[in-house]
């Protein structure tokens, strides 16, 4: 089977074509090659490649440059390929998250040889796995000049609504210690599991903030995501570890979020194990305002963490906007509405031409 | 190397001999054969065997019958065989727990052809592993008539002191449930780890009893020995399980102990996973009184669980009494004092002749 991509196909058919080229994280080469080949055929774009990530840019000298980005990898196939259409819905691995968004971006790249804004298209690898391998992160470190821009749209599934910024996330392990003893003489030991009670008290009493940032309302959360302790059925445990996850609004820097967690658990042994900053929605910037006006709808806050924070780290305001349904991501029965893909394409063309 | 046992050797040398015949739980055949052969050479004893357990009895028609029991298996050898003597201490796997006690019992069996009390000697297998394989348990179920008696001495290591009865032990899993949700939208879920707080509150507030039973003071304990909960770093946990261990004094039956734990955790989902009854010390019985008077010392309560509860279940008062040091059991550097073995032998002979 040829893996050539025909960018003159309608966007629904192109999505199906891309879905049928398997590209589980770490195994994106065939699809990356096809994307690169299709983009290199377009004379109005400069194309660069790093690993399995492709960046294609117009160079029209416009006063604004916008970035349109999407990852080309998927979670593992779950017996849900090849794709098929049923009642206007395209089923298959990666349809919603986020090959529909990738197809829209490719259509825009081919169709708009003279957009009103310069455009940088980014197709990257390894978004669905550990952060260290993330292709967009790699590009931001190795080729920050490829990613410059005034505004970015990440075409993750948002059900066709604009989602601004994203909340940050951090994890910390709180370790409570005790002293082992045989449980038949428990008073000779100190029970670390019993001593974890105040940690749970703090979590139960915690009042999560719902701050408004750049006009969007966020909703934080501080939660235990794991607890473990115990040596054997006849031993008083000498250690209990509570893993907490703090989801914080974009009015807090990563440092401020860590400081907050340290204050909340003042006096406890605490170690951060995972840190990802939030991203401000940036919808108060004029360039973002033009996007919102062109695409329509009422922007809402993004509560989960997404790669928009990488753009935010580069000083580029960014939003999530794509045709997929976030609730279907990573599900075996994943699908995307063909009508929503086409609608997304129309709105994006309207914005970039306008 | 011959595995014949010479019961005319002094008790220290006999202990070393038995220690040097490896008998890790499940692998006792060679030692069991040697014990059987040595006992069958004694015309004043009737010898029976079931698997790797040997029972030898006098049949003198005395008004009292006492049982002297010990397990012949050990925990796995930890590069601590063959045995060796240093400064009056015999080192090696099983020296303290409890081949010294076994050697004393074999010496008594050989030396006392006309004891003042009829004696039943029990040498059994598989004490150091799961309760279902315990040889004494098997005998109590398959041959309860072999074990009849008025009083029993289990020659487990007690450092030469009489330890009466034993505390019971039970384990229960308390399961707290919640509802999963993505941790970025934690308010859509119910956090089972947070909901486990009241279980820890109960454990922290629990006042353990120290009741006096048959003149000995016990010391109970109710403790978490494990806690676990957590699905993934970004998921609100829907289940948290706290495993508690209740060590209870012998004034409570197993049923009463379970009822107590159910009351303490009233309203929680609770499942018992492990149940072992306590044993009353029985030191108020005249037959036990004679033993205490002959052996000397001040009896103390046994806090850990031992096989005396199996005798208790057969209606036979039982105590722990042996030359080993309980603190050395299962340690690689395990040893036993040769003087304590000889002292134990003397006292037991004095009791059985008296």
């Amino acid at each position: 089977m040829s893996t050539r991509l025909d960018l003159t196909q309608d966007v629904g058919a192109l999505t199906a074509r891309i879905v049928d080229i398997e590209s589980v994280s770490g195994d994106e080469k065939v699809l990356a090659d096809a994307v690169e080949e299709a983009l290199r055929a377009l004379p109005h774009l400069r194309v660069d490649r790093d690993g399995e990530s492709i960046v294609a840019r117009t160079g029209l000298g416009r006063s604004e440059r916008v970035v349109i980005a999407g990852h080309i990898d998927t979670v593992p196939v779950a017996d849900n390929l090849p794709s098929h259409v049923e009642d206007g819905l395209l089923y298959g691995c990666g349809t919603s998250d986020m090959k529909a968004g990738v197809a829209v971006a490719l259509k825009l790249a081919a169709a708009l040889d003279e957009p009103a804004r310069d455009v940088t298209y980014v197709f990257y690898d390894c978004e669905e796995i550990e952060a260290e391998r993330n292709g967009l992160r790699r590009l931001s470190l190795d080729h920050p000049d490829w990613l410059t821009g005034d505004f970015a749209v990440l075409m993750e599934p948002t059900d066709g609504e604009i989602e601004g910024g994203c909340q940050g996330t951090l994890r910390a392990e709180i370790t409570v210690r005790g002293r082992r003893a045989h449980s038949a003489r428990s008073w000779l030991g100190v029970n670390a599991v019993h001593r974890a009670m105040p940690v749970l008290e703090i979590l139960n009493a915690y009042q999560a903030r719902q701050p408004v940032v750049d006009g969007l309302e966020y909703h934080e959360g501080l939660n235990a995501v794991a607890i473990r302790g115990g040596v054997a059925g006849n031993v008083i445990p000498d250690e209990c570890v509570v893993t907490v996850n703090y989801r914080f609004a974009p009015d807090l820097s990563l440092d401020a979020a860590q400081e907050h967690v340290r204050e909340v658990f003042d006096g406890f042994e605490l170690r951060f194990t995972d840190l990802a900053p939030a991203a401000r929605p940036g919808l108060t910037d004029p360039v973002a305002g033009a996007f919102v006006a062109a695409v329509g709808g009422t922007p809402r806050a993004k509560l989960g963490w997404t790669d928009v924070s990488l753009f935010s780290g580069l000083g580029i305001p960014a939003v999530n906007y794509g045709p997929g349904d976030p609730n279907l991501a990573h599900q075996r029965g994943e699908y995307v509405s063909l009508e929503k893909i086409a609608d997304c394409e129309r709105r994006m063309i309207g914005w970039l031409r306008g």
Side-chain angles (χ1 to χ4, degrees), chain A residues 19-23 77-83 91-95 99:
Chain A
V19 168
D20 290 339
I21 301 174
E22 276 193 35
S23 58
V77 179
D79 201 18
N80 51 359
L81 282 186
S83 63
Y91 287 83
C93 181
T95 44
K99 289 186 170 178

Side-chain angles (χ1 to χ4, degrees), chain A residues 214-236:
Chain A
D214 295 353
L216 300 185
E217 184 175 290
Y218 289 84
H219 195 151
E220 298 194 332
L222 178 64
N223 272 275
V225 288
I227 189 167
R228 61 184 156 78
V231 176
N234 59 353
V235 176
I236 300 302

Side-chain angles (χ1 to χ4, degrees), chain A residues 9-19 83-85 88-92 94-108 155 157 159-161 321-325 335-349:
Chain A
Q9 279 190 299
D10 84 79
V11 72
L14 180 62
T15 303
R17 185 85 191 80
I18 295 171
V19 168
S83 63
H84 70 278
V85 176
L89 305 177
L90 176 69
Y91 287 83
T95 44
S96 196
D97 184 11
M98 57 171 287
K99 289 186 170 178
V102 168
V104 169
L106 285 169
K107 286 290 291 179
L108 299 176
M155 300 200 70
D159 215 14
E161 305 287 334
Y321 171 67
D325 180 341
Y335 62 80
V336 66
S337 153
L338 292 172
E339 192 182 317
K340 288 220 169 178
I341 310 177
D343 183 60
C344 177
E345 182 192 23
R346 269 194 304 277
R347 289 171 194 264
M348 290 291 281
I349 287 177

